[in-house]
Amino acid sequence: MKYSALSTFTGVCLSTLLLQRASSLSSRLPSSRLHSTSSPSPSLPSAALLQFPVSSSKSSNFATLSARVHDVMSGPSPPCLLVLPEVWNSPYATSAFADYAEELPSLESRGKPKSESANLLRTLASTYKVHIIGGSVPERCPEGSIYNTCLVYGPEGDLLAKHRKVHLFDIDVPGGIKFKESDTLSPGGQLLTGFSHPTLGYVGVGICYDLRFPELSLLHASRSCNVLAFPGAFNMTTGPAHWSLLLRARAVDCQCYVLACSPARTKAPDVPGPHKHYEAYGHSM
């Protein structure tokens, strides 16, 4: 299969959100732009989807993320929201999650986090004065459970929201892909995670396979959600069939804007590493 520009694209995707504040869901019409390279109008809020290749080196992933954030926030019209990919600090492999997992802060935590990944997100958010939906990273809890967790940081470096992936991705498609997150991960116990953005209003957060279940998104819509954000890493079996379809379906269902950020698609290395290579679909939108 040939690699398309939208799958292997590395850099920043800008989505201009023509938000209309209204009390009824029916008055909000969803709209998005794929990988726009033009600068959005300064009068319109925009979100940047940071699609980049994820490697087995955590320090390299940190450097890549820092460079991408610097690039987009140094432009003439910096966005008011950044969205990162699912599992951006680690290979997307059940065998890797435990090795790369970190103890993440709670919403009640104050000060510098112990977690390297959380501290980087906090630093970037406060340095560039921007809201960051931090994709997701593997989280290790003291009792031994591992979660696929998204942290949301505000412009002052405060932790605004924390979402643990509720719906784990267990799939076995003959001739396609076999992947079972539940071999390593535990499901999150909180359905609704969101935060209030001063420009965009209420933003609901889910992770990847959470997108598949409309009830979760509809619960967000019942709270007058303006934007739904889904860091996700669909693969080359589910991506072509379901990625765009499900994102557009949730936008239609909920009458709100939907943002989704994927890792960039990468080829398997010539020399296999300790963890099985996962080929993400890409196509952040």
Side-chain angles (χ1 to χ4, degrees):
M1 177 174 292
K2 293 184 178 180
Y3 283 60
S4 71
L6 295 183
S7 63
T8 58
F9 177 88
T10 300
V12 177
C13 321
L14 288 178
S15 292
T16 301
L17 307 181
L18 310 178
L19 293 181
Q20 299 173 348
R21 294 298 182 90
S23 59
S24 65
L25 290 174
S26 61
S27 64
R28 291 194 297 272
L29 300 178
S31 174
S32 66
R33 295 181 184 177
L34 282 174
H35 302 278
S36 172
T37 56
S38 60
S39 297
S41 167
S43 63
L44 299 174
S46 65
L49 313 178
L50 307 186
Q51 177 173 300
F52 57 86
V54 177
S55 73
S56 59
S57 168
K58 187 178 286 189
S59 60
S60 176
N61 295 329
F62 286 178
T64 301
L65 171 60
S66 298
R68 295 292 176 267
V69 173
H70 174 76
D71 288 346
V72 69
M73 296 306 297
S74 300
S77 301
C80 64
L81 176 67
L82 306 181
V83 186
L84 276 56
E86 181 183 20
V87 189
W88 59 267
N89 72 342
S90 159
Y92 193 80
T94 55
S95 61
F97 294 148
D99 294 342
Y100 287 76
E102 302 175 12
E103 185 177 339
L104 300 183
S106 67
L107 291 176
E108 294 74 28
S109 300
R110 296 294 182 267
K112 182 179 178 180
K114 295 179 181 179
S115 158
E116 291 180 295
S117 299
N119 188 54
L120 177 59
L121 294 173
R122 177 176 180 264
T123 300
L124 291 171
S126 60
T127 299
Y128 293 99
K129 301 300 179 185
V130 66
H131 286 76
I132 297 180
I133 297 177
S136 74
V137 298
E139 176 190 14
R140 178 184 291 107
C141 293
E143 77 279 5
S145 297
I146 299 175
Y147 297 94
N148 187 346
T149 303
C150 175
L151 301 176
V152 179
Y153 277 94
E156 303 304 318
D158 45 338
L159 181 59
L160 301 180
K162 180 177 180 178
H163 179 72
R164 290 169 171 166
K165 188 174 185 177
V166 177
H167 304 93
L168 299 183
F169 183 63
D170 287 3
I171 188 172
D172 186 358
V173 178
I177 186 173
K178 182 176 182 180
F179 198 91
K180 195 172 183 182
E181 280 189 326
S182 62
D183 284 344
T184 306
L185 301 177
S186 297
Q190 178 176 318
L191 276 180
L192 293 186
T193 301
F195 65 99
S196 179
H197 189 286
T199 304
L200 304 179
Y202 177 76
V203 180
V205 178
I207 299 175
C208 200
Y209 203 44
D210 289 337
L211 169 68
R212 177 64 181 81
F213 302 90
E215 292 81 4
L216 185 147
S217 296
L218 289 169
L219 285 173
H220 279 298
S222 71
R223 295 187 174 188
S224 297
C225 178
N226 280 333
V227 180
L228 285 169
F230 292 96
F234 276 39
N235 54 68
M236 291 307 301
T237 298
T238 60
H242 297 153
W243 177 250
S244 176
L245 175 66
L246 289 174
L247 292 170
R248 290 182 289 117
R250 296 297 84 83
V252 172
D253 291 343
C254 301
Q255 288 295 286
C256 70
Y257 301 89
V258 177
L259 303 174
C261 187
S262 168
R265 192 187 310 175
T266 55
K267 296 180 179 180
D270 294 333
V271 179
H275 307 293
K276 185 177 180 180
H277 178 72
Y278 183 92
E279 191 173 8
Y281 179 55
H283 293 265
S284 298
M285 62 182 294

